[in-house]
Amino acid sequence: MAPPGDARLGQNGPRRGDRQRSEGTCAALRAEQTRVLYRQLPLVVLLNTIVPPVVAVLTWPQVGVPVWLAAWTAAILAANLGRIVLWMRFRQIRPGDAECRRWALYATIAAGLNGALWGIACLAFMPADSTIDQLAWVAVILAISSASMAGLSARLEVYYVAAAPMLLPLAAAFLLRGDTVNVALGLLTLVYAGALALFARNIHAALRQSLALQFDKDKLLQTLALAQDDTVRVHTRLIHAIENISVGLILFDAENRVILGNSRFNEFFPFLADLNRPGTPYRDILLETIRRGLFPEAQADPEAWIARRLDPERLNQDREYVLGDGRCFQVWEAPSSDGGTVSVWADVTDARRRETALSILVEASLKEESFLESVVQAMAVRAGYRWAGVALHREGGEVEVVAFWDGERPGAPFRYAMAGAPCERVLATGRVCHYSAGASEMFPDAPLLRQRGVEAYHGRVFTDSSGEVVGHLFAMNDRPDRGPQATPDMFRLFALWVGIELERQRAEEAYRESERRFQSVASNMPGLVVQARIAPDGGIAFPFLSAGARDLLDVDPEEGMENPDAVLERLYPEDRDSLVAAMQRSRQTLEPCSVPFRVTRPDGRNLRWLRMVSRPFRDGGGDTVFDGLILDITEQKRAQLQLMQTSKLATLGEIAAGVAHELNQPLNVIRMAADNCLITMETGEDDPEYNREQFTLISGQTERMGQIINHLRQFSRLEPSSVESFDPRSCLDNALTLLRRQFELDGIAVVTSLPATRGVVTGRANQLEQVLINLFTNARDAIAGRAEQGRAEQERAEQEGTAGSSSQAGPLGVRGTIRVAMTEDEAEGLVRIAVSDTGGGIPVDIIDRIFDPFFTTKDVGKGTGLGLSISYSIVTAMHGRIEVRNTGEGSSFLVVLPARFPTIETGELADDTGGGAARAAE
Amino acid sequence: MPSPERMESSAGAAEKLVMVIDDDPMQLKQIGDFLRRQGIRCVLEGNGFSAIQTIKSTVPDIILLDVRMPGLDGIQTAQVVQRMAKNTKIILMSGHADMLTAAAEAGLEVFATVDKPLPLRTLSRFIHEAFAQP
């Protein structure tokens, strides 16, 4: 390869014959000429110093005034002395290129002065008559001029300045004299001067060229030197790079002998250092590696293996070797330009360990194997150590190794005491502790290290998310570290990881435990734990159903979770609608909902009452989730039904006396009518007309009784009548029918205010009737109770003798009044039925409790305490309300029921009234 | 309320007079029919007030009195009657045994009580016994 300096030289160096020079080069050239000038100056000065005295001596006799000659001689000597001084200064200073200009000027001035003095001498001292003398002067001047030409032509202008004042006055002097000889001499002088000028010019050009050549040569040499320097530097760099490259590099020649091997290769394989020198056959190197056991696969047949290694086929192919000492090398060999081979050895141990560690972890995570076992294996592989473990710090200075990689395979968990073990140091540092060698000697009390002959040890604590140290990781090797370990960083990662993973495992365990508990609770509890989900579009799904689904709904939980319709199908259609409606309502308000509903088997048997209680919340996706419980309330319903029945019977009991009287009256008529007929028959006074009259009477009376009994039966029927729309007025009429006569006998006036109404309410008619009977009998009892009290007071007064004439007549006539008023509010969709009495009202301290079950103020045996409570639940079930207040003279109960007001056009009212009439006729 | 019905029977038993007070006109009629057929003179009254008005002018020997009546009930009527006519014997008729007890508690001296439904022969026996007593 060509050194870079060459290229630079070729491009930038002056070419032969190139006459173009830069300004700088010209200046340097001129400076050099100046230096040549000064170099030759002493000779010129010498000549000019020797000649004048000679001339003066020879001329002395001819000169008229010798003083002038002496003066001239002195002047010219002084001038040349000055030139010598200049020369000496020049030599002393050695002025640079720029300075030389000035020095050239000095030399010019001095030369001009010298020339002028010679010119003056010609004019002043040359005799005009002696041709011989004249010729002598010409000779002298020409000689001086020639010498100057030789000495000063280095700088042409210096020569010109020196010669012109010498030669021109001489020529002028001759020419001015006008005679032939003189003119000839003048011309001769001029010709000579011209010749000298030409010479000077030529000499100057020659000198200048020679100087230029000198210059070029110097520059060339300089550039060459630079180029050489570059080459050396590049070579050094290359060598440096090759030495310091992270791969081992050996160049082989065409005969597979070493040309060059870098020292990195020696670092990798110290035992090959002796072989790694020029001339060693590759084969020898390979043999040595086999002998050292680096290539386990070569042991079987070394020759064949070497042959494969040297086969040109191997070239340009990556090959990876796991060496006998555990290291991993990637070898790449390529042909070089000179027919040899470049062999590159890269240590990829770390990269391979990293990959292996990663693949262990990835595989473990895929196979869901124990994470910690994989981590310890990965840790060992990554660090290139034989053993690795994860240890948790337990109470009492104990350490539990929960996962351990025991060289080749996972080891069993074990415990040991922390005292004397390196982990004590790890914990003391609070972070990390590393020993590159001799760990087992350092900790003779640690059996774990001693048994295994541990050399290198690395331990590092790990923390939970709160930063508290909960354990440590460690890795150990039975070989000292080969060099600085890459482990710290890796261990930091593993520590972080293990800390997080252990915490995650704990959380997961807690979650599983919670899940188990939940599953156990969900499947063992008597109800059905359910999660329902309503999507924004209203679709219902059941993400969770506990095992109770099988018992309560006859639905397999899995099936129900997959197909919500399987669950919904079990519900009574009308109950399904009401359940869905209730859930939709709850979804809007997010209020808990509690809905009873009925389910049945596919065959329609086994009716069951269930109740779903649940609390909705909205999840992130806009769905509404109901976490709820479905309970079997069949028994409760049955009990409730029983209670209803009981309460109805109690209500019947309340009115039994009145009803009995009602029945007794017609019975009495019948009895007497029958007796009368019998008696007339016995006495023979019987009259067919009379008998028919009597029998008609009897028949009519039984009809009256039948009606009463029928109504009672209907009222006390066990099966609840179905929910329907009905006219509340009919209930009021029925209740009054049963009670009005009795109230009359009890001296209670019933005042009704019943304008024509058309509102219909929804519910069970006989239940509303029960409510009204309850209210009426309560009112009656209140009035009777007050009358009783009044009589008792009166009697007391009589006994005390304070009674006046009032006792004469006794309490006659009406004892109290019950007012019944029914109104309807079409705008609000309500029907109001108010039952007020004059019974004195309800004590304020119990007025809030009168709707509580089993609360009664009546004597034992007179009331069950259920009446008002049942009334309350009946009215509430009809989505109405019942209120009580004291009016001053008594209490007033108000039943408010939601009602519809069907228009006549639809015919609904007609139907309903028809239905009501039909019921009344029953 | 039906207006009080008066019926004079063609007297059989020594011109004795029986007053029947009942709020149920059908029962009143049956008892009236029976007594008349027995030849007993009787007055029928539909309520306590009209009966008391009648007794002011005509004192019956026996009063057959229904206990349960609206307005002035049998007990109250009997109390008034006993003050007005001390010799009048009172026979109470009731379908309710409690009412008879109530009568005793109210300090009434009744000749007899008869449960409803009323066997007319029993009633007849009581009336004759009452007639027989001084």
Side-chain angles (χ1 to χ4, degrees):
Chain A
M1 182 179 139
D6 269 3
R8 204 157 62 231
L9 195 68
Q11 277 171 8
N12 298 343
R15 289 197 190 91
R16 201 174 292 275
D18 181 2
R19 286 284 170 263
Q20 284 189 330
R21 294 180 205 283
S22 69
E23 200 63 31
T25 314
C26 285
L29 206 57
R30 269 198 299 275
E32 200 55 38
Q33 287 167 349
T34 308
R35 286 185 197 105
V36 172
L37 175 80
Y38 271 93
R39 218 177 291 147
Q40 293 178 347
L41 199 58
L43 277 175
V44 176
V45 170
L46 186 64
L47 201 65
N48 277 292
T49 312
I50 294 167
V51 176
V54 174
V55 170
V57 169
L58 290 177
T59 323
W60 190 270
Q62 298 156 17
V63 174
V65 190
V67 180
W68 286 111
L69 187 65
W72 173 82
T73 312
I76 204 162
L77 286 174
N80 280 294
L81 187 63
R83 291 173 90 178
I84 286 298
V85 172
L86 273 179
W87 172 74
M88 284 166 69
R89 280 297 289 166
F90 188 89
R91 277 179 57 111
Q92 191 183 351
I93 291 173
R94 294 180 176 278
D97 288 4
E99 295 292 296
C100 283
R101 245 178 116 84
R102 199 151 46 86
W103 286 95
L105 187 63
Y106 297 155
T108 310
I109 292 168
L113 189 61
N114 185 61
L117 283 169
W118 281 108
I120 289 168
C122 292
L123 293 177
F125 307 124
M126 190 174 65
D129 44 2
S130 168
T131 304
I132 298 299
D133 286 348
Q134 283 173 338
L135 278 173
W137 272 99
V138 167
V140 168
I141 293 299
L142 291 182
I144 292 292
S145 302
S146 303
S148 294
M149 186 272 290
L152 301 179
S153 59
R155 294 292 299 222
L156 213 50
E157 77 272 18
V158 180
Y159 166 68
Y160 289 151
V161 170
M166 255 191 288
L167 293 172
L168 292 181
L170 183 63
F174 283 131
L175 291 173
L176 284 174
R177 285 183 190 159
D179 59 297
T180 316
V181 174
N182 276 316
V183 169
L185 281 173
L187 289 173
L188 176 72
T189 306
L190 282 177
V191 169
Y192 198 83
L196 278 182
L198 279 174
F199 279 135
R201 200 181 150 74
N202 285 341
I203 290 170
H204 174 78
L207 175 70
R208 193 178 163 83
Q209 189 150 357
S210 108
L211 278 177
L213 280 174
Q214 182 70 39
F215 258 56
D216 285 351
K217 194 192 85 183
D218 285 354
K219 203 157 192 175
L220 195 64
L221 285 175
Q222 205 176 344
T223 315
L224 266 174
L226 278 174
Q228 209 163 17
D229 280 358
D230 275 353
T231 313
V232 169
R233 213 173 296 133
V234 165
H235 179 75
T236 314
R237 279 190 198 134
L238 268 175
I239 293 297
H240 186 77
I242 288 172
E243 284 298 304
N244 286 295
I245 202 167
S246 67
V247 295
L249 183 78
I250 302 189
L251 306 180
F252 296 100
D253 62 14
E255 274 78 45
N256 273 331
R257 281 191 303 265
V258 174
I259 300 171
L260 168 73
N262 70 353
S263 52
R264 184 71 67 194
F265 188 82
N266 293 350
E267 257 175 51
F268 289 157
F269 310 106
F271 48 87
L272 295 177
D274 286 344
L275 295 172
N276 182 11
R277 58 166 182 264
T280 311
Y282 196 0
R283 185 189 155 75
D284 290 1
I285 292 177
L286 291 175
L287 272 174
E288 180 64 13
T289 57
I290 294 169
R291 204 176 66 73
R292 296 275 181 168
L294 280 193
F295 296 101
E297 71 265 33
Q299 300 297 338
D301 188 356
E303 285 305 325
W305 188 80
I306 288 173
R308 271 203 307 282
R309 277 306 308 148
L310 297 179
D311 186 350
E313 282 289 308
R314 78 186 188 277
L315 298 178
N316 286 327
Q317 282 179 14
D318 261 336
R319 211 167 275 262
E320 203 168 303
Y321 295 99
V322 178
L323 302 189
D325 58 5
R327 284 182 296 166
C328 187
F329 274 84
Q330 201 173 36
V331 180
W332 183 76
E333 291 177 322
S336 63
S337 54
D338 56 358
T341 312
V342 181
S343 182
V344 179
W345 294 64
D347 184 350
V348 293
T349 314
D350 207 50
R352 287 293 165 270
R353 283 175 183 169
R354 203 173 303 179
E355 277 171 23
T356 315
L358 190 66
S359 70
I360 288 170
L361 292 172
V362 169
E363 273 173 34
S365 70
L366 287 180
K367 283 190 261 172
E368 290 183 352
E369 275 175 4
S370 161
F371 171 79
L372 287 180
E373 276 187 9
S374 310
V375 163
V376 292
Q377 188 190 353
M379 247 161 47
V381 167
R382 179 68 189 87
Y385 280 10
R386 283 195 64 184
W387 305 285
V390 174
L392 292 177
H393 300 165
R394 299 298 190 195
E395 295 291 316
E398 275 235 312
V399 174
E400 182 181 0
V401 176
V402 290
F404 186 55
W405 182 252
D406 198 2
E408 306 292 326
R409 66 197 74 77
F414 57 95
R415 273 171 180 262
Y416 64 91
M418 193 186 281
C423 49
E424 204 175 26
R425 295 294 306 276
V426 177
L427 203 60
T429 64
R431 281 194 53 203
V432 61
C433 204
H434 184 88
Y435 301 100
S436 339
S440 54
E441 282 102 62
M442 227 172 290
F443 298 96
D445 297 335
L448 185 65
L449 275 64
R450 203 181 53 240
Q451 286 159 11
R452 291 173 171 77
V454 168
E455 286 284 341
Y457 174 93
H458 187 98
R460 179 175 202 110
V461 296
F462 60 86
T463 64
D464 59 12
S465 57
S466 64
E468 200 185 329
V469 172
V470 291
H472 71 276
L473 310 177
F474 62 92
M476 312 183 295
N477 204 5
D478 51 0
R479 279 200 301 256
D481 286 347
R482 193 182 295 278
Q485 278 280 324
T487 43
D489 251 6
M490 160 208 115
F491 267 86
R492 197 170 53 79
L493 281 179
F494 274 116
L496 212 60
W497 202 355
V498 166
I500 291 167
E501 173 62 16
L502 282 175
E503 198 153 359
R504 193 193 64 75
Q505 281 185 2
R506 266 200 301 282
E508 197 178 274
E509 186 53 41
Y511 169 75
R512 273 206 212 98
E513 178 57 37
S514 153
E515 179 75 17
R516 261 200 298 279
R517 202 177 304 131
F518 168 74
Q519 285 292 355
S520 156
V521 168
S523 49
N524 290 330
M525 70 187 304
L528 158 60
V529 179
V530 60
Q531 189 177 62
R533 180 182 282 272
I534 301 187
D537 65 5
I540 295 184
F542 297 100
F544 180 78
L545 294 166
S546 71
R550 216 169 278 120
D551 292 337
L552 293 193
L553 299 175
D554 288 312
V555 172
D556 183 65
E558 301 293 331
E559 190 196 340
M561 284 185 246
E562 253 175 46
N563 176 19
D565 287 340
V567 174
L568 293 174
E569 270 168 15
R570 290 284 183 272
L571 274 63
Y572 267 44
E574 65 260 36
D575 289 3
R576 180 165 58 220
D577 296 345
S578 68
L579 174 70
V580 170
M583 284 173 76
Q584 295 286 9
R585 259 202 310 282
S586 188
R587 180 174 151 227
Q588 302 296 330
T589 60
L590 291 184
E591 296 282 326
C593 70
S594 170
V595 198
F597 56 91
R598 283 163 295 176
V599 291
T600 180
R601 279 180 184 281
D603 58 12
R605 288 189 301 127
N606 202 10
L607 166 92
R608 232 196 290 247
W609 272 98
L610 304 179
R611 178 182 288 280
M612 171 163 156
V613 281
S614 71
R615 185 179 292 275
F617 62 89
R618 210 152 277 152
D619 78 350
D623 288 6
T624 309
V625 179
F626 292 77
D627 284 333
L629 189 60
I630 293 179
L631 291 170
D632 189 338
I633 55 163
T634 311
E635 282 305 315
Q636 192 186 333
K637 273 281 173 188
R638 208 166 280 157
Q640 202 176 346
L641 208 62
Q642 195 65 48
L643 188 64
M644 276 287 177
Q645 193 59 21
T646 307
S647 76
K648 245 175 357 193
L649 295 179
T651 303
L652 272 181
E654 293 281 304
I655 61 171
V659 171
H661 183 82
E662 282 301 291
L663 289 175
N664 218 14
Q665 293 296 83
L667 200 59
N668 206 18
V669 173
I670 290 166
R671 175 70 192 257
M672 288 193 291
D675 279 0
N676 271 330
C677 284
L678 281 173
I679 289 166
T680 52
M681 278 179 205
E682 280 166 17
T683 55
E685 300 172 51
D686 60 325
D687 168 13
E689 188 58 31
Y690 178 75
N691 283 352
R692 192 170 60 246
E693 199 179 295
Q694 292 294 76
F695 287 134
T696 310
L697 182 67
I698 287 170
S699 177
Q701 291 300 300
T702 55
E703 181 114 342
R704 184 177 154 196
M705 291 174 76
Q707 264 179 28
I708 293 169
I709 289 165
N710 227 343
H711 187 80
L712 282 179
R713 196 161 52 208
Q714 194 185 342
F715 181 78
S716 59
R717 198 162 56 191
L718 188 65
E719 282 297 308
S721 56
S722 58
V723 174
E724 60 192 349
S725 291
F726 61 93
D727 179 6
R729 179 74 180 269
S730 62
C731 297
L732 205 49
D733 290 342
N734 282 337
L736 285 175
T737 304
L738 278 177
L739 296 171
R740 191 190 281 274
R741 170 77 184 158
Q742 196 186 347
F743 288 174
E744 222 170 88
L745 292 172
D746 287 339
I748 295 168
V750 178
V751 180
T752 55
S753 166
L754 305 170
T757 57
R758 54 185 203 87
V760 289
V761 298
T762 306
R764 296 185 171 87
N766 63 354
Q767 286 191 343
L768 182 59
E769 190 180 328
Q770 185 184 352
V771 170
L772 295 172
I773 291 172
N774 277 328
L775 295 183
F776 288 139
T777 54
N778 266 327
R780 179 201 63 194
D781 292 345
I783 291 168
R786 195 185 193 195
E788 195 78 28
Q789 205 178 352
R791 193 153 52 224
E793 276 167 14
Q794 194 183 351
E795 277 169 11
R796 200 158 49 245
E798 275 174 14
Q799 282 164 8
E800 287 165 6
T802 54
S805 59
S806 66
S807 60
Q808 184 72 30
L812 300 177
V814 176
R815 294 198 292 177
T817 308
I818 295 176
R819 286 188 180 79
V820 187
M822 182 169 157
T823 56
E824 53 184 22
D825 187 334
E826 201 166 337
E828 286 191 51
L830 296 174
V831 167
R832 292 190 180 86
I833 302 170
V835 177
S836 317
D837 63 57
T838 56
I842 299 163
V844 183
D845 56 330
I846 62 162
I847 197 162
D848 291 336
R849 291 158 60 201
I850 58 166
F851 292 116
D852 293 352
F854 304 110
F855 180 82
T856 179
T857 56
K858 295 171 187 170
D859 295 339
V860 174
K862 285 201 85 176
T864 56
L866 286 173
L868 283 177
S869 156
I870 293 288
S871 301
Y872 184 87
S873 25
I874 289 171
V875 172
T876 310
M878 291 173 77
H879 304 295
R881 61 180 201 271
I882 182 166
E883 296 163 359
V884 63
R885 65 188 174 88
N886 283 325
T887 56
E889 54 175 357
S891 55
S892 175
F893 285 84
L894 178 66
V895 175
V896 183
L897 295 170
R900 290 186 298 112
F901 297 89
T903 49
I904 309 274
E905 284 77 21
T906 63
E908 208 175 334
L909 181 67
D911 284 354
D912 273 346
T913 47
R919 276 199 305 282
E922 273 172 17
Chain B
M1 185 68 65
S3 59
E5 193 183 349
R6 272 158 209 261
M7 278 185 242
E8 302 282 330
S9 71
S10 50
E15 292 302 308
K16 300 279 184 183
L17 182 64
V18 175
M19 177 181 273
V20 185
I21 310 173
D22 197 315
D23 62 317
D24 184 350
M26 280 181 289
Q27 294 181 48
L28 206 56
K29 179 178 176 294
Q30 291 295 330
I31 295 170
D33 284 359
F34 172 68
L35 290 180
R36 274 194 292 276
R37 199 160 287 132
Q38 296 280 314
I40 298 170
R41 204 157 59 98
C42 61
V43 183
L44 307 180
E45 295 289 348
N47 62 62
F49 294 108
S50 61
I52 289 164
Q53 287 302 318
T54 309
I55 290 168
K56 283 177 184 169
S57 53
T58 314
V59 178
D61 298 283
I62 294 169
I63 294 179
L64 285 177
L65 185 54
D66 186 15
V67 178
R68 291 212 53 156
M69 286 189 298
L72 210 56
D73 69 22
I75 308 286
Q76 289 165 331
T77 309
Q79 281 175 331
V80 176
V81 167
Q82 262 189 347
R83 287 199 195 99
M84 292 168 71
K86 298 219 181 307
N87 291 326
T88 304
K89 297 184 175 66
I90 295 172
I91 296 173
L92 285 178
M93 304 182 292
S94 174
H96 214 288
D98 289 351
M99 280 299 163
L100 305 179
T101 321
E105 281 171 3
L108 282 178
E109 288 178 20
V110 295
F111 179 78
T113 61
V114 193
D115 284 348
K116 285 184 175 179
L118 198 64
L120 287 177
R121 290 180 204 282
T122 313
L123 184 64
S124 166
R125 202 175 69 232
F126 280 138
I127 288 172
H128 285 291
E129 279 176 18
F131 285 160
Q133 281 201 2

